[in-house]
Amino acid sequence: AAGNRVPCRFPFSRVSKQDLAFFENLLPGRTIVDPDVLMTHNVDWMKSVRGSSELLLRPQTTEEVSKILKYCCERRLAVNPQGGNTGLVGGSVPVYDEIILSTSLMNQILSFDQVSGIITCQAGCVLENLSNYLEERDFIMPLDLGAKGSCQIGGNVATNAGGLRLLRYGSLRGTVLGLEVVLASGKILNFLTALRKDNTGYDLKQLFIGSEGTLGIITAVSILCPRRPRAVNVAFLGCSSYKKLLETFQCCRGMLGEILSAFEFLDSACMKLLEKHLKLINPIAENSFYIVIETAGSNADHDKEKLHNFLEAVMASFLVTDGTVATEDAKIKALWSIRERVTEALTHDGYTYKYDISLPLEKIYQLVEDMREYLGDKAKNVVGYGHVGDGNLHLNITSHSKDQALQEAIEPYVYEWTARYRGSISAEHGLGLKKRNYIHFSKHPEAVALMKDIKHMLDPHRILNPYKTLPDQG
Ligand code: FAD
């Protein structure tokens, strides 16, 4: 598809000996040119896109980031911000020889307030480390995702990551209270407030949340964290149809109400891949659909009773055909890993075409079925899983190897289908390199034009994460 063509290299400067000397002086021992180290930073998590950067910079402070960007802006050197490199749309690695600016060494927690639950930290803190730090203090992060062991909070904010807890705690647009950002010019913007309410003018931090490194580099974040729930239960259930799954969701919202913290699903095709490639064992009888429901509350007896009543109701009405419940940590983790490891199982199945779609709930699975029928035996597997509670489907299509004809069959079909039902072609992964030219399926031309104006104002020389997020034309 024309939309997937890699754009021509913009006329940026190339890194010279003098540039290297400048960076080595600024970041001694943290200016990396070793090709072996660079190799892992040039390739994305899915191993689907590859850049050819020859320079990796690892700043530790905001001032260092500022000096790097000021210099790069003056020299017209392009920069690719990189966090944990777990992004799924090719946004986190260079397209050509952009300098990779990694936030991995910016991993300090700056403060935590036990009363308000507000944590302030540098952008390179790994999500799981933040979670562990908070859990020791009886709090949790408001977001959780399968990539938590590698992804960083700066990357999470830059992609406005959704994840497994969004249903309960909302998006980062609500829980992020403040940011510190370095603009392409090197200017430091400090919006690192820790206030829940602040209606003084435009909320500029929102511009950077979800901007995928194209408007500025996020160097620090303050975020509102919920208390750690005293009681957590996970139910893993089977349904015979998507219609029944939706009825189960409706019933679940009614009966579990305020303690419901996640409602996720996977189809039987996902389960087969988990069994085949990761040797995971399906803990219940075979079904067409599997649901992971999590409750989180402050009173174990109360939660247990509610969950029990709910399970009785859905079993009695034959919405759910089989299920198992976990209250202890190890079993909770095991049940969650079935849902969390689908992405990993897919990587073992061959080359994966990933689509992260928002749709009205009743349409979600129809897209998977239509796609299966439409592609026939062109694809190896067509599977669906995701965050039902948020109206977010992960549609994944695998093939034995990278297959241009298959991709051209899928795109723009999948985007047209989505646009027909006024869905979003990227619910939570962003646009990055891979989806940039499809933005028009979800945004009006006036909106895209305004985005381009904002980009031009903040980064007139387009040095920050070039070729990403915004379309090549229009
Ligand atoms: P990277 O991949 O390094 O970068 C992502 C983008 O952000 C790039 O455009 C990069 O340039 C930019 N960026 C990174 N750091 C900064 C910074 N400090 N300042 C400015 N720009 C920056 N995503 C979800 O939303 N929900 C999920 O449930 C989910 N599950 C996943 C499960 C697995 C197994 C995997 C591999 C990925 C999953 N993802 C999910 C996608 C990915 O993990 C998220 O997009 C994550 O937020 C990326 O964080 P990162 O630190 O790895 O960023």
Coordinates of all heavy atoms in Angstrom, one line a residue, residues 390-444:
D390 N -13.1 -1.2 27.2 CA -12.8 0.1 26.6 C -13.1 0.2 25.1 O -12.8 1.2 24.4 CB -11.2 0.4 26.7 CG -10.7 0.1 28.0 OD1 -11.4 0.3 29.0 OD2 -9.5 -0.4 28.1
G391 N -13.8 -0.8 24.6 CA -14.2 -0.8 23.2 C -13.0 -0.9 22.3 O -13.0 -0.3 21.2
N392 N -12.0 -1.6 22.7 CA -10.7 -1.6 22.0 C -10.3 -3.1 21.6 O -10.1 -3.9 22.4 CB -9.6 -1.0 22.9 CG -8.2 -1.0 22.3 OD1 -7.3 -0.6 23.0 ND2 -8.0 -1.3 21.1
L393 N -10.3 -3.3 20.2 CA -9.9 -4.6 19.7 C -8.5 -4.6 19.2 O -8.1 -3.6 18.5 CB -10.8 -4.9 18.5 CG -10.4 -6.0 17.6 CD1 -10.7 -7.4 18.3 CD2 -11.1 -6.0 16.2
H394 N -7.8 -5.6 19.5 CA -6.5 -5.9 18.8 C -6.7 -7.0 17.8 O -6.9 -8.1 18.1 CB -5.4 -6.3 19.8 CG -5.0 -5.2 20.8 ND1 -4.9 -3.9 20.4 CD2 -4.8 -5.3 22.1 CE1 -4.6 -3.2 21.5 NE2 -4.5 -4.0 22.6
L395 N -6.7 -6.5 16.6 CA -6.9 -7.5 15.5 C -5.5 -7.8 14.9 O -4.7 -6.9 14.6 CB -7.7 -6.8 14.3 CG -7.7 -7.5 13.0 CD1 -8.5 -8.8 13.0 CD2 -8.3 -6.6 11.9
N396 N -5.1 -9.1 14.9 CA -3.8 -9.5 14.5 C -3.9 -10.5 13.4 O -4.7 -11.5 13.5 CB -3.0 -10.0 15.7 CG -2.5 -8.9 16.5 OD1 -1.3 -8.7 16.7 ND2 -3.4 -8.2 17.2
I397 N -3.1 -10.3 12.4 CA -3.1 -11.2 11.2 C -1.7 -11.7 11.0 O -0.7 -10.9 10.9 CB -3.6 -10.5 10.0 CG1 -5.1 -10.0 10.3 CG2 -3.5 -11.4 8.8 CD1 -5.5 -8.9 9.4
T398 N -1.5 -13.0 11.0 CA -0.1 -13.5 10.9 C 0.0 -14.2 9.5 O -0.9 -14.7 8.9 CB 0.3 -14.6 11.9 OG1 -0.6 -15.7 11.9 CG2 0.2 -14.0 13.3
S399 N 1.3 -14.2 9.0 CA 1.6 -14.9 7.8 C 3.0 -15.5 8.0 O 3.7 -15.2 8.9 CB 1.6 -13.9 6.6 OG 2.7 -13.1 6.7
H400 N 3.3 -16.5 7.1 CA 4.6 -17.2 7.3 C 5.8 -16.2 7.3 O 6.8 -16.4 8.0 CB 4.8 -18.3 6.3 CG 3.7 -19.4 6.5 ND1 3.9 -20.3 7.5 CD2 2.5 -19.6 5.9 CE1 2.8 -21.1 7.5 NE2 2.0 -20.7 6.5
S401 N 5.7 -15.2 6.4 CA 6.8 -14.2 6.4 C 6.2 -12.9 5.9 O 5.0 -12.9 5.6 CB 7.9 -14.7 5.4 OG 7.3 -14.9 4.1
K402 N 7.0 -11.9 5.9 CA 6.5 -10.6 5.4 C 5.9 -10.7 4.0 O 6.5 -11.3 3.2 CB 7.7 -9.6 5.4 CG 7.2 -8.1 5.5 CD 8.4 -7.2 5.8 CE 7.9 -5.8 5.8 NZ 8.9 -4.9 6.2
D403 N 4.7 -10.2 3.8 CA 4.0 -10.5 2.6 C 3.3 -9.2 2.1 O 2.2 -8.9 2.6 CB 3.0 -11.6 3.0 CG 2.1 -12.1 1.8 OD1 2.1 -11.3 0.7 OD2 1.5 -13.1 1.9
Q404 N 3.9 -8.6 1.1 CA 3.4 -7.3 0.6 C 1.9 -7.5 0.1 O 1.1 -6.6 0.4 CB 4.3 -6.8 -0.5 CG 4.0 -5.4 -1.0 CD 4.2 -4.4 0.1 OE1 5.0 -4.6 1.1 NE2 3.6 -3.2 0.0
A405 N 1.7 -8.6 -0.6 CA 0.3 -8.8 -1.2 C -0.7 -8.9 -0.1 O -1.8 -8.3 -0.2 CB 0.3 -10.0 -2.0
L406 N -0.4 -9.6 1.0 CA -1.3 -9.7 2.1 C -1.6 -8.3 2.8 O -2.7 -8.0 3.0 CB -0.7 -10.7 3.2 CG -1.5 -10.8 4.5 CD1 -2.9 -11.4 4.2 CD2 -0.8 -11.7 5.5
Q407 N -0.5 -7.6 3.0 CA -0.7 -6.3 3.6 C -1.6 -5.4 2.7 O -2.4 -4.7 3.2 CB 0.7 -5.6 3.8 CG 0.5 -4.2 4.4 CD 1.8 -3.7 5.0 OE1 2.9 -4.4 5.0 NE2 1.8 -2.5 5.6
E408 N -1.4 -5.5 1.4 CA -2.2 -4.7 0.5 C -3.6 -5.1 0.5 O -4.5 -4.4 0.2 CB -1.6 -4.7 -0.9 CG -0.4 -3.7 -1.0 CD 0.4 -3.8 -2.3 OE1 -0.1 -4.3 -3.3 OE2 1.5 -3.3 -2.3
A409 N -3.9 -6.4 0.8 CA -5.2 -6.9 0.9 C -5.9 -6.3 2.2 O -7.0 -6.0 2.2 CB -5.3 -8.4 0.9
I410 N -5.1 -6.2 3.3 CA -5.6 -5.8 4.6 C -5.9 -4.3 4.6 O -6.9 -3.8 5.1 CB -4.7 -6.2 5.7 CG1 -4.3 -7.6 5.7 CG2 -5.3 -5.8 7.0 CD1 -3.2 -8.0 6.7
E411 N -4.9 -3.6 4.0 CA -5.0 -2.1 4.1 C -5.2 -1.6 2.7 O -4.5 -2.0 1.8 CB -3.6 -1.5 4.6 CG -3.3 -2.0 6.0 CD -1.9 -1.6 6.4 OE1 -1.3 -0.6 5.8 OE2 -1.3 -2.2 7.3
P412 N -6.1 -0.6 2.5 CA -6.9 0.1 3.5 C -8.2 -0.6 4.0 O -9.0 0.0 4.7 CB -7.2 1.4 2.8 CG -7.3 1.1 1.4 CD -6.4 -0.1 1.2
Y413 N -8.5 -1.8 3.5 CA -9.8 -2.5 3.9 C -10.1 -2.3 5.4 O -11.2 -1.9 5.8 CB -9.7 -4.0 3.5 CG -10.9 -4.8 4.0 CD1 -12.0 -4.9 3.1 CD2 -10.9 -5.4 5.2 CE1 -13.1 -5.7 3.5 CE2 -12.0 -6.2 5.6 CZ -13.1 -6.3 4.7 OH -14.2 -7.0 5.1
V414 N -9.1 -2.6 6.2 CA -9.4 -2.6 7.7 C -9.7 -1.1 8.1 O -10.5 -0.9 9.0 CB -8.2 -3.1 8.5 CG1 -6.9 -2.4 8.2 CG2 -8.4 -3.2 10.0
Y415 N -9.0 -0.2 7.5 CA -9.3 1.2 7.9 C -10.6 1.7 7.4 O -11.3 2.5 8.1 CB -8.1 2.1 7.4 CG -6.8 1.7 8.0 CD1 -5.7 1.5 7.1 CD2 -6.6 1.5 9.3 CE1 -4.5 1.1 7.6 CE2 -5.4 1.1 9.8 CZ -4.4 0.9 9.0 OH -3.2 0.5 9.5
E416 N -11.0 1.3 6.2 CA -12.3 1.7 5.6 C -13.4 1.1 6.5 O -14.4 1.8 6.8 CB -12.4 1.3 4.2 CG -11.6 2.1 3.2 CD -11.3 1.5 1.9 OE1 -11.8 0.4 1.6 OE2 -10.7 2.2 1.1
W417 N -13.2 -0.1 6.8 CA -14.2 -0.8 7.7 C -14.4 -0.1 9.0 O -15.5 0.2 9.4 CB -13.7 -2.2 8.0 CG -14.7 -3.3 8.4 CD1 -15.2 -4.3 7.6 CD2 -15.3 -3.4 9.6 NE1 -16.1 -5.0 8.3 CE2 -16.2 -4.5 9.6 CE3 -15.3 -2.7 10.8 CZ2 -17.0 -5.0 10.6 CZ3 -16.1 -3.1 11.9 CH2 -16.9 -4.2 11.8
T418 N -13.3 0.3 9.6 CA -13.3 1.0 10.9 C -14.0 2.4 10.7 O -14.8 2.8 11.6 CB -11.9 1.2 11.4 OG1 -11.3 -0.1 11.5 CG2 -11.8 1.9 12.8
A419 N -13.6 3.1 9.6 CA -14.2 4.4 9.4 C -15.7 4.4 9.2 O -16.4 5.3 9.6 CB -13.5 5.1 8.2
R420 N -16.1 3.3 8.6 CA -17.6 3.1 8.3 C -18.4 3.2 9.6 O -19.5 3.7 9.7 CB -17.8 1.8 7.6 CG -19.1 1.8 6.8 CD -19.2 0.5 6.0 NE -18.0 0.1 5.3 CZ -17.6 -1.2 5.2 NH1 -18.3 -2.1 5.8 NH2 -16.5 -1.5 4.6
Y421 N -17.8 2.7 10.7 CA -18.5 2.6 12.0 C -18.0 3.7 12.9 O -18.1 3.6 14.1 CB -18.4 1.2 12.6 CG -19.1 0.2 11.7 CD1 -18.3 -0.7 11.0 CD2 -20.5 0.1 11.6 CE1 -18.9 -1.6 10.1 CE2 -21.1 -0.8 10.8 CZ -20.3 -1.7 10.1 OH -20.9 -2.6 9.2
R422 N -17.3 4.7 12.4 CA -16.8 5.8 13.1 C -15.9 5.4 14.3 O -15.9 5.9 15.4 CB -17.9 6.7 13.6 CG -18.8 7.3 12.5 CD -19.9 8.2 13.1 NE -19.2 9.4 13.6 CZ -19.0 10.5 12.9 NH1 -19.4 10.6 11.7 NH2 -18.5 11.6 13.5
G423 N -15.1 4.4 14.0 CA -14.1 3.9 14.9 C -12.8 4.7 14.8 O -12.7 5.6 14.1
S424 N -11.8 4.3 15.6 CA -10.5 4.9 15.5 C -9.5 3.8 15.0 O -9.5 2.7 15.5 CB -10.0 5.4 16.9 OG -8.6 5.7 16.8
I425 N -8.6 4.2 14.1 CA -7.7 3.3 13.5 C -6.5 3.1 14.4 O -5.7 2.2 14.2 CB -7.2 3.7 12.1 CG1 -6.4 5.0 12.2 CG2 -8.3 3.8 11.1 CD1 -5.3 5.1 11.2
S426 N -6.4 3.9 15.5 CA -5.4 3.6 16.5 C -6.0 3.9 17.9 O -6.1 5.1 18.3 CB -4.1 4.3 16.3 OG -3.2 4.0 17.4
A427 N -6.4 2.9 18.6 CA -7.0 3.1 19.9 C -6.0 3.5 20.9 O -6.2 4.5 21.7 CB -7.8 1.9 20.4
E428 N -4.8 2.8 21.0 CA -3.9 3.1 22.0 C -2.4 3.1 21.6 O -1.5 3.5 22.4 CB -4.1 2.3 23.3 CG -4.0 0.8 23.0 CD -4.2 -0.1 24.2 OE1 -4.5 0.4 25.2 OE2 -3.9 -1.3 24.1
H429 N -2.1 2.5 20.5 CA -0.7 2.4 20.1 C -0.1 3.6 19.4 O 1.1 3.7 19.3 CB -0.5 1.1 19.2 CG -0.8 -0.2 19.9 ND1 -1.0 -1.3 19.3 CD2 -0.9 -0.5 21.2 CE1 -1.3 -2.3 20.1 NE2 -1.2 -1.8 21.3
G430 N -0.9 4.5 19.0 CA -0.4 5.7 18.2 C -0.3 5.4 16.8 O -0.7 4.3 16.3
L431 N 0.4 6.3 16.0 CA 0.5 6.2 14.6 C 1.9 5.8 14.1 O 2.1 5.1 13.2 CB 0.0 7.5 13.9 CG -1.5 7.8 14.1 CD1 -1.8 9.2 13.7 CD2 -2.4 6.8 13.4
G432 N 2.9 6.3 14.8 CA 4.3 6.0 14.6 C 4.6 6.2 13.1 O 4.1 7.0 12.4
L433 N 5.4 5.2 12.6 CA 5.8 5.2 11.2 C 4.7 4.5 10.4 O 4.3 4.9 9.3 CB 7.1 4.5 11.0 CG 7.6 4.3 9.6 CD1 8.0 5.7 9.0 CD2 8.8 3.4 9.5
K434 N 4.2 3.4 11.0 CA 3.4 2.5 10.2 C 2.0 3.0 9.8 O 1.4 2.6 8.8 CB 3.2 1.2 10.9 CG 4.5 0.4 11.1 CD 4.2 -0.9 11.7 CE 5.4 -1.8 11.9 NZ 5.1 -3.0 12.7
K435 N 1.4 3.8 10.7 CA 0.0 4.2 10.5 C -0.2 5.7 10.1 O -1.3 6.2 10.0 CB -0.8 3.9 11.8 CG -0.5 2.6 12.5 CD -1.4 1.5 12.0 CE -0.7 0.2 12.5 NZ -1.5 -1.0 12.4
R436 N 1.0 6.4 10.0 CA 0.9 7.8 9.8 C 0.0 8.3 8.7 O -0.8 9.2 8.8 CB 2.3 8.5 9.7 CG 2.9 8.1 8.4 CD 4.4 8.4 8.4 NE 5.0 8.3 7.0 CZ 5.2 7.2 6.4 NH1 4.9 6.0 7.0 NH2 5.7 7.1 5.2
N437 N 0.1 7.6 7.6 CA -0.6 8.0 6.4 C -2.1 7.6 6.4 O -2.8 7.9 5.4 CB 0.1 7.4 5.1 CG 1.3 8.2 4.8 OD1 1.4 9.4 5.1 ND2 2.3 7.6 4.3
Y438 N -2.5 7.0 7.5 CA -3.9 6.6 7.5 C -4.7 7.4 8.5 O -5.9 7.1 8.8 CB -4.0 5.1 7.9 CG -3.4 4.2 6.9 CD1 -2.2 3.5 7.2 CD2 -3.9 4.0 5.6 CE1 -1.6 2.7 6.3 CE2 -3.3 3.2 4.7 CZ -2.2 2.6 5.0 OH -1.5 1.8 4.1
I439 N -4.1 8.5 9.0 CA -4.7 9.3 10.0 C -6.1 9.9 9.5 O -7.0 10.0 10.3 CB -3.8 10.5 10.4 CG1 -4.3 11.3 11.6 CG2 -3.5 11.5 9.2 CD1 -3.3 12.3 12.2
H440 N -6.2 10.1 8.2 CA -7.4 10.6 7.6 C -8.7 9.8 7.8 O -9.8 10.3 7.8 CB -7.3 10.9 6.1 CG -6.2 12.0 5.9 ND1 -6.4 13.3 6.2 CD2 -5.0 11.9 5.3 CE1 -5.3 13.9 5.9 NE2 -4.4 13.1 5.3
F441 N -8.4 8.5 8.1 CA -9.6 7.6 8.4 C -10.2 8.0 9.7 O -11.4 7.6 10.0 CB -9.2 6.2 8.3 CG -9.0 5.7 6.9 CD1 -7.7 5.6 6.4 CD2 -10.0 5.4 6.1 CE1 -7.4 5.1 5.1 CE2 -9.8 4.9 4.8 CZ -8.5 4.8 4.3
S442 N -9.5 8.6 10.6 CA -10.0 8.9 11.9 C -10.1 10.4 12.2 O -10.7 10.8 13.2 CB -9.2 8.3 13.0 OG -9.4 6.9 12.9
K443 N -9.4 11.3 11.4 CA -9.4 12.7 11.7 C -9.7 13.5 10.5 O -9.2 13.2 9.4 CB -8.0 13.1 12.2 CG -7.7 12.6 13.6 CD -8.4 13.3 14.7 CE -8.3 12.9 16.1 NZ -7.8 11.7 16.6
H444 N -10.4 14.6 10.7 CA -10.8 15.5 9.5 C -9.6 16.2 9.1 O -8.6 16.5 9.8 CB -11.9 16.5 10.0 CG -13.2 15.8 10.3 ND1 -13.9 15.2 9.3 CD2 -13.9 15.6 11.4 CE1 -15.0 14.7 9.8 NE2 -15.0 14.9 11.1

